[in-house]
């Protein structure tokens, strides 16, 4: 089973990387962009997808400051 | 009184930490793969980039065999100090509250700054006075302390260090530079007291933390 975990900073926590991207885009002529958040993508093959939630809680994300979303990808 | 300084792949301040500890007691390095803490009286988790900071700073180091022993040691009341990356490791391990996020500036910074002792009643600050200002180097890219329950931490006396007014290098809320657990035996801070132990490098203020642990053990 192929899985994909999307990890992003929790709503309301200052995300200076996202803000830096917001500031950089207009300099390249891309206007009208706001609310940018920069996170992480973890792709993994797992034998037991029921363990994904625990993997996120214990290691892949820090639930105190990050939200995560587990997607399973049909192989 | 013997200090143990934990060493991970990617640690880079463990030699200075051993040197700092050796000025007030005995000190030896503890390898991350070895769960035996060698009977030390206090543990220092030093700065650096354990496991290359992969995934998140401190996230992988937290699961090393030595850290499992450090967690048991801390739960039994043993003094544990986390410096910079060591602070990140202790937060990831759940020994300290909160998390450390990217500096607001997105820049790695390195400078000598003023650090105020807020709580002088912990295993690592009892040789200092409340409100005392220490001159200590800081150097990090991910040091912005965040805790959703900061009011509660303040009320419990768990905020141990603050950056002096105007000297906060990372944008942490209320200038928090270091915190402790409820039992006050585990302390973590971003500034580097182990780099401030000799007049050759400008300040010996960092020695107070290590002398505090000696006093804490003596009265334990």
């Amino acid at each position: 089973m192929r899985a994909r975990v999307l990890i992003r900073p929790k709503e309301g926590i200052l995300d200076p990387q996202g803000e830096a991207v917001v500031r950089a885009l207009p300099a390249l002529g891309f206007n009208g962009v706001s609310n940018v958040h920069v996170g992480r993508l973890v792709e993994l093959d797992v034998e037991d997808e029921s363990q994904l939630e625990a993997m996120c809680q214990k290691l892949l994300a820090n639930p105190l400051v990050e939200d995560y979303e587990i997607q399973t990808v049909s192989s | 009184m013997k200090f143990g300084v934990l060493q991970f792949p990617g640690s880079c301040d463990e030699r200075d930490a051993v040197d700092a500890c050796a000025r007030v007691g005995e000190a030896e390095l503890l390898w991350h793969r070895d769960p035996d803490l060698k009977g030390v009286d206090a543990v220092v988790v030093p700065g650096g980039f354990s496991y290359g900071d992969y995934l998140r700073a401190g996230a992988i180091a937290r699961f090393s065999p030595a850290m499992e022993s450090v967690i048991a040691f801390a739960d039994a009341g043993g003094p544990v100090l986390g410096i910079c990356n060591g602070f990140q490791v202790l937060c990831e391990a759940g020994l300290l509250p909160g998390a450390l996020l990217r500096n607001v500036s997105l820049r790695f910074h390195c400078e000598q700054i003023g650090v105020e002792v807020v709580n002088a009643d912990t295993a690592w600050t009892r040789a200092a006075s409340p409100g005392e200002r220490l001159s200590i180097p800081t150097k990090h890219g991910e040091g912005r302390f965040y805790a959703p329950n900061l009011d509660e931490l303040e009320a419990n006396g768990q905020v141990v260090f603050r950056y002096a007014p105007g000297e906060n290098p990372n944008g942490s809320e209320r200038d928090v530079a270091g915190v402790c657990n409820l039992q006050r035996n585990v302390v973590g801070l971003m500034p580097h007291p182990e780099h401030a132990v000799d007049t050759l490098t400008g300040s010996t203020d960092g020695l107070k933390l290590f002398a505090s642990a000696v006093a804490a053990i003596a009265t334990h």
Side-chain angles (χ1 to χ4, degrees), chain B residues 37 40-43 68-80 185:
Chain B
L37 298 185
V40 297
D41 302 297
V43 172
E68 298 296 336
S69 303
V70 170
I71 290 169
F73 177 80
D75 286 345
V80 178
N185 59 310

Side-chain angles (χ1 to χ4, degrees), chain B residues 133-173:
Chain B
R133 185 187 286 206
L134 310 176
S135 175
I136 295 183
T138 61
K139 42 165 195 167
H140 58 253
E142 294 178 43
R144 177 166 48 104
F145 181 78
Y146 169 83
N149 57 340
L150 190 51
D151 285 335
E152 187 188 328
L153 299 184
E154 296 257 22
N156 291 339
Q158 288 179 264
V159 172
V160 180
F161 299 101
R162 260 188 245 283
Y163 301 107
E167 301 195 26
N168 182 343
N170 54 49
S172 65
E173 204 176 334

Side-chain angles (χ1 to χ4, degrees), chain B residues 158-208:
Chain B
Q158 288 179 264
V159 172
V160 180
F161 299 101
R162 260 188 245 283
Y163 301 107
E167 301 195 26
N168 182 343
N170 54 49
S172 65
E173 204 176 334
R174 299 183 211 171
D175 297 331
V176 173
V179 299
C180 67
N181 64 345
L182 269 174
Q183 294 73 32
R184 303 184 178 183
N185 59 310
V186 182
V187 170
L189 76 168
M190 290 311 298
H192 287 263
E194 82 283 16
H195 294 332
V197 298
D198 196 305
T199 48
L200 181 69
T201 52
S203 165
T204 58
D205 292 350
L207 275 177
K208 293 208 167 165

Side-chain angles (χ1 to χ4, degrees), chain A residues 7 10 12-17 20 23 40 42 56 58-62 64-66, chain B residues 55-56 59-60 62-63 92 97-99 101-106 144 146-148 171:
Chain A
I7 299 156
K10 261 192 165 54
I13 291 185
L14 180 63
D15 174 15
Q17 289 189 88
R23 286 195 301 272
R40 262 193 328 276
V42 181
C56 288
K58 287 192 83 168
L59 180 65
L60 300 182
N62 181 347
L64 185 68
V65 289
E66 294 169 330
Chain B
L55 204 57
R56 290 182 307 281
I60 297 178
R62 173 255 175 279
F63 293 100
E92 285 281 341
L101 305 174
R102 286 285 291 271
N103 295 353
V104 167
S105 65
L106 293 177
R144 177 166 48 104
Y146 169 83

